[in-house]
């Protein structure tokens, strides 16, 4: 189902065609695990799995939401936005609406239908894609322009289209999504997922520096395929694992006398190891090492050293497994199998961890055999079926 099918679903749900349709891609974290909220460095990709939202404004103050993935609807007044246990998926939309209201954005009621092709719980951040699609559909329905601390004059349409978002506007919308997830959903996430969904560029790796909040792009070398393998262990970051490791990182930074672990070198960490509790040290060791791997990895990709880059992916996964402890036996199995297969440059868990998927860099000419063997050997080891798929690197939300 794409946007045409979603329009048909909207028509059947609400009795009229939608006024606007937007889409936001999911993301894959290529290298840089949990470094975003530590003001670190991350390499990521926007990929061809999407959240679509179709919507039409209403004349009253009611929002009515329908989804192709969940039965029933959620209906509420814009002045009484609250959680509905029967529709937890709507919390991401509601959180964004609340944050937009805090920023001074005015909107009335609307009807909206949501469709997603991002696998739930696989670590491709369907939540951030839903948040970013929500900001864009509100901008289409009720045009607004956010400044740093205020609203600007609303943008005007030319030939029926709003002007593209500036990089500064994208960052502000990313913060809206982050705040929604932190305040309303309860996951104190970083900005990686939202930035990746907005700043994607076809065929390009997104390089984000979260200390300076700068984004640049570098091309993915030719002949390299990105393969995603779902462990079929769903993760729910709201369950607390994510918040726990974030707290460990923040505690470690405070005891080391810095605002963020980004400021700590490997030598400084070892010199001050005695100041940290064992779990704090483990988390800090992973984050400090991961920032180093991203620096070296960026250089390797720019120089076309794909084999060397792949080694950093394997090292990253080992650090997640042994120190950060956000891997699982099933994710470890996928990486161990991939490492022995012909044509695999590198593999690691992607995203928050505690379940989800692995990302694999594979020689293009070995792609089909790699996918088949990975699925076969994973089933032989775990009796769980997975269908690895090739991700295409796409443009950001629009």
């Amino acid at each position: 189902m794409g946007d045409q099918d979603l329009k048909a679903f909207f028509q059947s749900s609400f009795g009229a065609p939608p006024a606007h349709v937007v889409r936001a891609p999911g993301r894959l974290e290529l290298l840089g695990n949990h470094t975003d909220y530590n003001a670190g460095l991350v390499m990521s990709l926007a990929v061809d799995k999407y959240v679509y939202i179709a919507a039409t404004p209403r004349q009253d103050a009611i929002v009515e939401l329908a989804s192709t993935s969940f039965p029933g609807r959620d209906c509420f007044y814009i002045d009484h936005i609250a959680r509905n246990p029967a529709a937890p998926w709507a919390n991401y939309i509601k959180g964004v609406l609340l944050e937009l209201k805090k920023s001074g954005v005015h909107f009335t009621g609307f009807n909206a239908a949501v469709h997603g092709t991002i696998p739930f719980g696989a670590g491709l951040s369907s939540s951030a894609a839903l948040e970013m699609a929500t900001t864009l559909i509100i901008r289409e329905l009720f045009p607004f322009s956010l400044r740093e601390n205020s609203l600007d004059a609303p943008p005007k349409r030319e030939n029926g289209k709003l002007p593209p978002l500036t990089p500064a506007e994208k960052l502000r919308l990313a913060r809206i999504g982050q705040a929604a997830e932190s305040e309303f959903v309860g996951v104190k996430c970083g900005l990686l997922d939202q930035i990746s969904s907005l700043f994607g560029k076809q065929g390009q790796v997104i390089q984000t520096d979260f200390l300076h909040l700068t984004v640049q792009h570098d091309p993915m070398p030719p002949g390299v395929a990105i393969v995603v393998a779902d462990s079929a262990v769903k993760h729910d970051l709201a369950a607390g694992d994510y918040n726990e490791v974030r707290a460990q990182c923040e505690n470690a930074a405070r005891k080391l006398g810095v605002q963020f672990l980004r400021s700590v070198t490997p030598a400084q960490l070892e010199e001050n190891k005695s100041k940290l509790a064992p779990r704090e040290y483990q988390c800090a060791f992973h984050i400090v090492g991961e920032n180093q791997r991203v620096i070296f990895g960026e250089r390797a990709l720019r120089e076309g050293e794909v084999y060397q880059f792949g080694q950093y992916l394997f090292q990253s996964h080992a650090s997640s497994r042994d120190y950060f402890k956000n891997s699982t036996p099933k994710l470890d199995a996928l990486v161990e199998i991939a490492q022995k297969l012909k044509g695999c440059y590198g593999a690691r868990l992607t995203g928050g961890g505690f379940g989800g998927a692995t990302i694999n860099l594979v020689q293009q000419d070995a792609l089909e055999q790699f996918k088949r063997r990975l699925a076969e050997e994973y089933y032989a080891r775990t009796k769980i079926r997975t269908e690895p798929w090739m991700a295409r690197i796409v443009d950001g939300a629009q």
Side-chain angles (χ1 to χ4, degrees), residues 233-270:
V233 177
K234 302 305 178 190
H235 71 170
D236 178 6
L237 294 185
D241 291 320
Y242 185 101
N243 292 345
E244 188 270 331
V245 291
R246 178 165 183 160
Q248 297 288 353
C249 292
E250 291 169 348
N251 291 342
R254 187 175 65 254
K255 290 182 180 180
L256 293 171
V258 296
Q259 186 176 3
F260 300 109
L261 289 176
R262 165 72 178 275
S263 306
V264 179
T265 67
Q268 288 170 333
L269 179 61
E270 293 309 310

Side-chain angles (χ1 to χ4, degrees), residues 198-220:
L198 287 172
F199 281 88
K201 191 175 287 189
Q202 184 175 346
Q204 304 274 311
V205 178
I206 308 162
Q207 317 264 20
T208 309
D209 181 329
F210 286 91
L211 179 61
H212 304 102
L213 268 187
T214 56
V215 180
Q216 65 180 45
H217 298 84
D218 284 320
M220 176 63 74

Side-chain angles (χ1 to χ4, degrees), residues 256-314:
L256 293 171
V258 296
Q259 186 176 3
F260 300 109
L261 289 176
R262 165 72 178 275
S263 306
V264 179
T265 67
Q268 288 170 333
L269 179 61
E270 293 309 310
E271 289 169 8
N272 294 278
K273 182 178 180 179
S274 61
K275 296 179 181 178
L276 305 180
R279 187 73 185 112
E280 292 166 349
Y281 171 78
Q282 288 178 331
C283 289
F285 183 88
H286 169 75
I287 297 300
V288 171
E290 194 76 346
N291 279 317
Q292 295 283 310
R293 283 185 284 275
V294 174
I295 292 170
F296 297 148
E298 288 179 351
R299 183 185 309 157
L301 269 196
R302 279 196 302 270
E303 294 174 355
E305 296 290 343
V306 183
Y307 176 83
Q308 182 60 55
F309 183 79
Q311 296 306 301
Y312 297 133
L313 266 65
F314 286 129

Side-chain angles (χ1 to χ4, degrees), residues 31 35 37 47 151:
L31 188 60
T35 49
Y37 57 80
V47 296
L151 284 174

